[in-house]
Amino acid sequence: MATDFSSIPIIDVSALLAKCDDPKLGEDPAVLEVVRQLDKACTEAGFFYVKGHGVSDALLKEVKDITRRFFELPYEEKTKIKMTPATGFRGYQRVGENITKGVPDMHEAIDCYREVTRGMYGDLGKTMEGYNQWPQNPPNFKVIMEEYISICTELARKIMRGIALALGGSPDEFEGHRAGDPFWVMRLIGYPGLTTTNGTHEAMENDIGCGAHTDYGLLTLLNQDEDINALQVRNLSGEWISAPPVPGTFVCNIGDMLKIYSNGLYESTLHRVINSSPKYRVSVVYFYETNFDTAVEPLDTTKTRANGTKKFEKAIYGEHLVSKVLTNFVDD
Ligand SMILES: N=C(N)NCCCC[C@H](N)C(=O)O
Ligand SMILES: O=C(O)CCC(=O)C(=O)O
Ligand SMILES: [Fe+2]
């Protein structure tokens, strides 16, 4: 449950990562300190910055750089990897093609999802069947992004072990049938800056880069441009709190499935993007999800913390994702 937070904490996760697969993880004082900070941040804001994550600054920068170079290409080039239902909604979407609560978002993006082969999840997976569409240009795009995805998957798995402890469970709570075979989503996003006419700033059709929404899965790792303040997070009173760039960190936030697992102790907090700078903004967003076909319901430990009441009904992650994907795009 969110509170009236006014800033977003920074958590150094290095102690957690160092001991992550140690069976005595939950007894180490330095790890428990990280766990305490995770629990506080997840309870109060649903958002936190992560440092001490071990991902090199060079890689964080490179994925944003090649994303920016792709978006600089002419439209005809970008649309060669156009997102369509036939590719399981993977690929390029132009500015205004993604909609949030019915309003076009002022961003362009490449959407990527873990591969789903034909018949893999029966009818549940049909919408998402397909392979990622990687551009030929810039060269090495696929190789770099696939390396980044595997590093993010590993990092998110480890942070989730800390969050499992924070929820009073065993570190393995999100392994196995819950998220031992995690689905993932990656969005490479570009937000045009305000254009200048006669020395005055002028918005495009609207100025919302991405409308207020929650993320769908477990944990999001956001790698945002270093010099533009555009991401905003909503607190309990409805104020929008800035999540400014903090170089070398990820912004992490909780998704809808973790809200359910935590029985509402943790919130999937509303957030939005407004790029009111004149500069083009890039973000590379990795979403760590549950197993595609898993049924998500509050963990027993969290029911106890909520006096035995279960606040959410079962949800199938894949159904939740598909319902979002099918309503996220304008028809053209
Ligand atoms: N996979 C994730 N979480 N994507 C977040 C995109 C949020 C905007 C989308 N149009 C929406 O309304 O959800
Ligand atoms: O670009 C950002 O800072 C956030 C994007 C976001 O919230 C999303 O894609 O879910
Ligand atoms: Fe988001």
Side-chain angles (χ1 to χ4, degrees):
M1 82 216 59
T3 59
D4 266 335
F5 62 90
S6 56
S7 65
I8 295 164
I10 303 182
I11 304 178
D12 183 340
V13 296
S14 49
L16 170 65
L17 302 191
K19 291 267 165 69
C20 209
D21 290 305
D22 184 330
K24 297 216 174 93
L25 184 68
E27 295 166 26
D28 184 283
V31 171
L32 288 176
E33 175 52 25
V34 178
V35 168
R36 189 192 65 76
Q37 291 178 30
L38 287 171
D39 189 47
K40 185 167 194 289
C42 292
T43 306
E44 293 181 354
F47 263 80
F48 50 94
Y49 293 86
V50 162
K51 69 174 187 183
H53 47 64
V55 184
S56 75
D57 283 351
L59 183 60
L60 290 175
K61 180 170 184 304
E62 185 166 35
V63 292
K64 285 178 290 196
D65 284 350
I66 57 174
T67 298
R68 191 180 333 269
R69 276 162 52 206
F70 173 79
F71 290 133
E72 281 164 4
L73 297 171
Y75 177 73
E76 306 78 68
E77 190 63 30
K78 294 189 278 193
T79 202
K80 285 183 183 160
I81 59 159
K82 185 177 166 53
M83 179 210 67
T84 69
T87 56
F89 294 87
R90 292 165 181 78
Y92 173 75
Q93 57 207 253
R94 60 180 161 70
V95 175
E97 197 169 347
N98 204 302
I99 53 179
T100 300
K101 304 207 177 92
V103 180
D105 291 320
M106 292 300 110
H107 72 248
E108 57 187 328
I110 302 178
D111 280 358
C112 314
Y113 296 94
R114 196 182 144 173
E115 181 180 303
V116 177
T117 54
R118 192 132 37 111
M120 195 168 166
Y121 301 112
D123 285 349
L124 176 67
K126 273 244 154 314
T127 308
M128 302 314 300
E129 287 176 5
Y131 305 90
N132 285 312
Q133 304 199 72
W134 301 108
Q136 292 298 321
N137 209 341
N140 294 329
F141 200 95
K142 171 181 152 86
V143 175
I144 294 163
M145 291 305 176
E146 286 183 340
E147 185 199 351
Y148 185 73
I149 289 161
S150 80
I151 285 174
C152 286
T153 303
E154 207 36 38
L155 174 61
R157 186 186 74 84
K158 291 176 175 168
I159 297 173
M160 286 307 300
R161 290 177 71 76
I163 290 178
L165 289 172
L167 287 171
S170 104
D172 297 334
E173 221 62 64
F174 297 107
E175 311 281 352
H177 72 96
R178 294 199 180 105
D181 181 25
F183 196 70
W184 57 259
V185 181
M186 185 169 69
R187 307 197 68 221
L188 311 172
I189 316 175
Y191 303 87
L194 295 184
T195 49
T196 309
T197 325
N198 304 326
T200 55
H201 289 319
E202 203 172 272
M204 310 200 22
E205 291 145 66
N206 71 53
D207 53 5
I208 308 290
C210 186
H213 67 278
T214 60
D215 293 343
Y216 317 150
L218 288 177
L219 187 72
T220 305
L221 303 180
L222 165 69
N223 171 9
Q224 60 172 334
D225 250 351
E226 291 202 346
D227 47 1
I228 301 169
N229 187 359
L231 175 64
Q232 302 176 347
V233 182
R234 209 183 70 162
N235 74 11
L236 188 61
S237 324
E239 292 165 309
W240 289 101
I241 306 302
S242 274
V246 176
T249 67
F250 287 99
V251 177
C252 287
N253 64 282
I254 284 168
D256 299 334
M257 296 303 112
L258 185 49
K259 173 182 74 178
I260 299 177
Y261 278 129
S262 76
N263 202 18
L265 292 171
Y266 301 166
E267 185 88 61
S268 50
T269 314
L270 275 171
H271 53 285
R272 68 179 185 188
V273 178
I274 300 178
N275 180 16
S276 46
S277 95
K279 280 212 251 180
Y280 191 94
R281 173 181 185 265
V282 162
S283 62
V284 174
V285 196
Y286 170 88
F287 303 91
Y288 184 77
E289 317 285 86
T290 62
N291 293 5
F292 189 82
D293 54 358
T294 206
V296 178
E297 56 184 334
L299 300 175
D300 286 339
T301 54
T302 64
K303 277 184 279 187
T304 322
R305 260 168 85 175
N307 303 322
T309 41
K310 183 173 141 188
K311 298 203 185 133
F312 298 98
E313 288 313 312
K314 225 184 249 182
I316 310 287
Y317 166 71
E319 279 177 10
H320 184 57
L321 176 67
V322 167
S323 75
K324 294 287 187 174
V325 167
L326 291 177
T327 53
N328 265 352
F329 302 100
V330 291
D331 302 311
D332 57 353

